């Protein structure tokens, strides 16, 4: 039985390290060109080299996205870039264009993964892509797990599937709404997610309806399909989210790592699934559903809230930068005050609950509170807290009540 790889997104080096720390077997990311997430930080050449070295040191792999729809002018330095990626040890490139595949094969020996943008939805197409040199298919999100498994079986090629994250209302992302609403090409990295917005619908001569959200999909989760991913020999389970926070990356990686390992060990049960559900509800989401993993998505897949997304049961407070036996150094993304109750999320164990009873500045000044975007020192309150395995890159959260809604995407 094939144990699938856990594949996580990385917007920058911090998220790459967080993903690996929380259990990702591989990370996908973009360089400065050729990817579909132009608004992500994306990696410079030196950051890419460092990221690959870091990942390989921790027995993880790096895949680089080259899946934008290219024009002739974009090819001028593509061969040189492929040679660079090969020289630093990149483990694969994600591609959607036949011309790009030809350049990659002529200039390097990089393993080629077919992007979901190519909409591979059947074994006939899969066999053709295999003949073209593709080593792995990232199948379209319109497929069920059973269909994806059949493609792998009949074509003899590795199959990767999205298991978690935001969904696109267009067919495998082939959308041009942003082109016409903002002059930005969705298929060349410029998507502004116009589909998430509410609209007035006008029916011929009738008065326009109230604002409605009719194109925004609910978010995908595959926690209840883990056994099916195994049974159909999927090689990789992919988490969407190259624009998402370190908090999102940490929680999703930790949850799916636990579920994959538990099923492989024969210990996956309802209690663990319930815990996984609660953990994923703690991060921002658009109401989870199983997409087309079991059956084709239908009208129930539309996320109807007009004012934004569910911000989750918890808020992202910050990240542990350093730790000693007596204290932690915490970078804050939200304000913190004495008396606040926080939770530190270790890489594997249960969250560590902590009531903050002292806050110090980096120069040792005692504080009652500290604003966001600050760095603080938090003394560990007692011996039991000192015994916990709190370490660098642990993300920290605090409870949010009640469940508010935000316009963030």
């Amino acid at each position: 039985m094939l144990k699938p790889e856990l594949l996580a997104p990385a917007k920058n080096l911090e998220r790459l390290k967080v993903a690996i720390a929380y259990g990702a077997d591989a990370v996908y990311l973009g360089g400065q060109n050729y990817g579909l997430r132009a608004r992500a930080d994306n990696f410079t050449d030196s950051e890419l080299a460092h990221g690959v070295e870091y990942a390989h040191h921790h027995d993880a792999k790096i895949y680089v996205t080259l899946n934008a729809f290219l024009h002739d002018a974009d090819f001028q330095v593509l061969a040189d870039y492929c040679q660079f990626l090969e020289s630093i040890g990149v483990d694969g490139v994600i591609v959607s264009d036949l011309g790009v595949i030809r350049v990659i094969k002529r200039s390097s020996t990089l393993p080629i993964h077919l992007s979901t943008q190519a909409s591979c939805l059947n074994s006939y197409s899969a066999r053709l892509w295999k003949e073209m040199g593709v080593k792995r298919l990232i199948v379209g999100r319109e497929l069920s797990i059973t269909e994806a498994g059949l493609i792998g079986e009949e074509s003899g090629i590795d199959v990767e599937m999205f298991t978690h994250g935001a969904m696109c209302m267009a067919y495998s992302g082939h959308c041009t709404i942003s082109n016409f609403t903002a002059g930005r090409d969705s298929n060349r990295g410029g998507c502004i997610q116009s589909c998430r917005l509410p609209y007035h619908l006008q029916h011929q001569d009738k008065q326009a309806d109230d604002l409605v959200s009719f194109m925004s999909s609910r978010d995908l989760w595959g926690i209840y399909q883990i056994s099916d991913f195994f049974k159909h020999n999927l090689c990789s389970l992919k988490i969407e989210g190259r624009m998402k926070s370190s908090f999102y990356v940490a929680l999703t990686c930790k949850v799916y790592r636990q579920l994959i390992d538990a099923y492989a060990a024969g210990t996956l049960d309802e209690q663990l699934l319930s815990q996984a559900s609660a953990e994923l509800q703690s991060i921002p989401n658009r109401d989870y559903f199983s997409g087309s993993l079991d059956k084709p998505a239908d009208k129930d897949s539309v996320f109807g809230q007009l004012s934004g997304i569910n911000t989750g049961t918890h808020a992202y407070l910050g990240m542990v930068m350093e730790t000693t036996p007596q204290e932690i150094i915490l970078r804050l993304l939200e304000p913190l005050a004495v008396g606040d109750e926080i939770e530190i999320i270790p890489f594997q164990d249960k969250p560590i609950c902590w009531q903050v009873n002292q806050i110090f500045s980096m120069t040792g000044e005692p504080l009652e509170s500290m604003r966001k975007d600050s760095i603080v020192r938090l003394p560990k309150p007692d011996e039991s807290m000192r015994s916990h395995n709190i370490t660098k890159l642990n993300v920290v959260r605090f409870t949010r009540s009640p469940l508010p809604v935000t316009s963030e995407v």
Side-chain angles (χ1 to χ4, degrees), residues 84-251:
F84 163 72
L85 296 179
E86 184 174 39
S87 73
I88 63 173
V90 165
D91 299 286
V93 287
I94 301 170
V95 183
S96 59
D97 184 280
L98 278 168
V100 176
I101 290 177
R102 173 173 284 184
V103 171
I104 293 168
K105 292 177 64 178
R106 287 179 174 177
S107 59
S108 73
T109 59
L110 288 166
I112 298 170
H113 299 181
L114 187 72
S115 172
T116 187
Q117 294 291 117
S119 294
C120 183
L121 302 171
N122 57 73
S123 58
Y124 298 89
S125 174
R127 285 191 286 266
L128 178 59
W129 286 113
K130 183 179 179 181
E131 291 174 10
M132 296 299 298
V134 170
K135 302 299 183 183
R136 179 189 291 190
L137 300 176
I138 309 167
V139 293
R141 280 175 264 193
E142 297 76 25
L143 290 180
S144 68
I145 298 173
T146 301
E147 290 172 317
L150 184 62
I151 289 174
E153 180 181 346
E154 295 194 353
S155 63
I157 193 169
D158 286 343
V159 174
E160 174 185 310
M161 268 192 112
F162 279 93
T163 187
H164 189 92
M167 297 282 282
C168 182
M169 54 76 62
Y171 215 86
S172 289
H174 293 189
C175 177
T176 58
I177 297 178
S178 292
N179 299 60
F180 295 100
T181 59
R184 293 175 51 161
D185 194 333
S186 303
N187 297 296
R188 290 168 61 80
C191 178
I192 64 167
Q193 297 189 325
S194 300
C195 60
R196 305 296 186 195
L197 302 176
Y199 292 90
H200 289 289
L201 295 184
Q202 181 75 46
H203 301 278
Q204 296 180 346
D205 296 330
K206 297 181 180 179
Q207 184 176 353
D209 291 344
D210 292 334
L211 280 171
V212 293
S213 175
F214 68 102
M215 293 187 290
S216 181
S217 172
R218 293 164 63 188
D219 285 348
L220 174 70
W221 69 355
I223 60 174
Y224 297 105
Q225 288 78 28
I226 294 296
S227 62
D228 293 328
F229 290 123
F230 273 84
K231 292 173 185 176
H232 291 282
N233 292 310
L234 283 255
C235 79
S236 182
L237 304 187
K238 187 172 191 174
I239 298 169
E240 180 276 339
R242 278 174 51 210
M243 298 294 293
K244 301 292 181 63
S245 69
S246 293
F247 182 42
Y248 170 94
V249 172
L251 265 292

Side-chain angles (χ1 to χ4, degrees), residues 333-382:
L333 279 81
E334 296 288 344
L336 180 68
V338 171
D340 285 348
E341 293 186 357
I342 66 176
E343 290 184 3
I344 298 173
I345 311 299
F347 300 144
Q348 295 179 336
D349 299 325
K350 295 180 180 180
I352 301 166
C353 298
W354 181 341
Q355 184 170 36
V356 177
N357 55 20
Q358 289 180 298
I359 300 175
F360 290 93
S361 70
M362 290 303 294
T363 59
E365 177 188 2
L367 305 166
E368 286 299 314
S369 63
M370 197 65 170
R371 63 183 182 277
K372 63 186 293 186
D373 300 323
S374 302
I375 298 175
V376 296
R377 294 163 52 191
L378 301 183
K380 296 178 180 178
D382 52 42

